[in-house]
């Protein structure tokens, strides 16, 4: 889940993560079986390029990546399935983009406090744990960064720990990415263990899509790693459509709640995917059934290649008002956008 663009992920042992086949955990075997090409994605759903205008060039620029779990939730034969459209490279990506669409929309070079480290907001330090994800979302602003390259060395994490030690105002450590849960349990344990002695760090927040797109990732070993952490755990999910949730996702989320985690969701408002009131009501209602409360509904970051997903601000505000009329207040997300230089995300409604 990307809340941030970044050069270098913090990854203490990048080169040695490829497990021997026998040592691979079930979630790693599932990743090995992921869909990694446009042709494979279309074939798996019984679709052909005559059903919807796809783009091989877009797939080269930002490769297709979909987990088997997510694929199984898509409707075969439906080129406009709201799950598929999040991951399908379409011809629109190559069209001229409106003014303001850039490759690094949240421009944050000045916010770096070290490699793979960002502080924009009071009290919260954000570390990019890895550049890898389990799925590639077409609207992601990290689509122009080199994915899957985990080039950082072990020194960066020492830098994180030093900053947290020096600055007691940093009460929250946010692991972002990419997706931090793409790191193995062993590596996560190595990152989190030294935090145990840092009593000024009260909260550990993890931004991740994995409990939903790869539920097997929430395994016993991961829960044990979290169990050893004295910080309170906040997991911010990224679910955009009610149909992303099923029994396997529910069970993974229940395992996290059983570990005491607070579960929140942030979605991105996406044209053709979740931009009507019925889809939004279904999304937040279904999430609440899984024990997940709303956090943000983000307006699209203006990343080059994603303009076809944009929903205008006026329509977005009207949507939030419609939700307020239909849902209890605690199931209505805050409509937000990131404006570089502001002291927080900007809440619009
Ligand atoms: C979005 C973001 C956060 C978290 O902001 P919240 O409003 O607390 O969710 C923190 N640091 C950075 C760099 C961010 O981009
Ligand atoms: S999971 Fe999707 S939105 Fe999150 S960082 Fe990866 S590609 Fe971007």
């Amino acid at each position: 889940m990307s809340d941030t663009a970044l050069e270098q992920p913090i990854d203490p042992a990048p080169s040695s993560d490829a497990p021997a086949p026998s040592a691979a955990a079930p979630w790693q075997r599932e990743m090995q079986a992921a869909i990694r090409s446009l042709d494979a994605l279309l074939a798996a759903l019984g679709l052909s390029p005559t059903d919807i205008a796809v783009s091989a060039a877009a797939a080269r620029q930002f490769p297709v990546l979909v987990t088997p779990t997510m694929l199984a939730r898509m409707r075969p034969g439906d080129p406009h399935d709201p799950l598929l459209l999040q991951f399908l490279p379409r011809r629109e990506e190559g069209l001229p983009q409106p003014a303001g669409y850039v490759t690094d929309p949240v421009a944050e070079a000045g916010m770096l406090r070290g490699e793979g480290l960002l502080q924009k907001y009071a009290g919260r330090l954000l570390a990019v744990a890895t550049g890898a994800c389990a799925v590639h979302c077409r609207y992601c602003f990290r689509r122009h960064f080199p994915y899957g390259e985990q080039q950082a060395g072990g020194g960066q994490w020492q830098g994180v720990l030093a900053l947290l030690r020096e600055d007691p105002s940093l009460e929250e450590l946010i692991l972002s990415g990419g997706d931090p849960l793409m790191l193995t349990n062993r590596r996560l344990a190595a990152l989190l263990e030294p935090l145990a002695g840092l009593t000024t760090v009260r909260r550990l927040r993890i931004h991740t899509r994995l409990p939903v797109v790869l539920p097997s990732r929430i395994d016993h070993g991961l829960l044990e790693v979290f169990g050893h952490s004295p910080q309170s755990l906040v997991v911010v999910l990224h679910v955009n459509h009610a149909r992303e949730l099923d029994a396997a996702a529910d069970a993974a989320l229940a395992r996290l709640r059983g570990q005491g985690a607070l579960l929140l969701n942030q979605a991105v408002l996406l044209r053709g995917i979740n931009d009507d009131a019925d889809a939004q009501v279904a999304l937040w209602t279904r999430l609440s059934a899984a024990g997940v409360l709303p956090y943000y509904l983000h307006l699209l970051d203006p990343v080059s290649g994603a303009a076809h997903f944009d929903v205008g601000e006026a329509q977005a505000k009207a949507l939030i008002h419609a939700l307020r009329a239909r849902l209890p207040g605690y199931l209505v997300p805050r409509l937000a956008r990131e404006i570089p230089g502001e002291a927080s995300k900007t809440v619009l409604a």
Side-chain angles (χ1 to χ4, degrees), residues 300-335:
L300 186 76
D301 289 316
V303 60
S304 180
H308 56 293
F309 287 120
D310 188 52
V311 176
E313 202 172 301
Q315 187 190 334
K317 284 180 176 166
L319 192 54
I320 293 289
H321 288 133
L323 293 187
R324 287 227 171 86
R326 290 176 60 178
L327 290 171
Y330 62 87
L331 291 188
V332 180
R334 302 161 185 82
L335 181 68

Side-chain angles (χ1 to χ4, degrees), residues 1-4 62 65 86-87 130-143 147 176-180 207-210 213 238 240 266 268:
M1 288 313 318
S2 182
D3 260 306
T4 176
F62 184 44
L65 184 59
Q86 296 180 49
F87 309 106
T130 169
C133 294
V135 291
H136 283 175
C137 316
R138 305 310 300 179
Y139 51 83
C140 179
F141 70 74
R142 298 198 79 247
R143 58 177 293 157
Y147 261 74
S176 185
D179 199 309
H207 280 245
T208 178
R209 257 196 117 145
L210 265 59
V213 303
H238 175 186
N240 294 317
Q266 57 179 21
V268 180

Side-chain angles (χ1 to χ4, degrees), residues 38 42 48-50 52-58 88-92:
L38 176 55
L42 292 173
S48 81
T50 54
I52 183 164
V54 293
S55 167
L88 183 70
R90 289 163 67 187
R91 194 170 59 203
E92 285 90 333

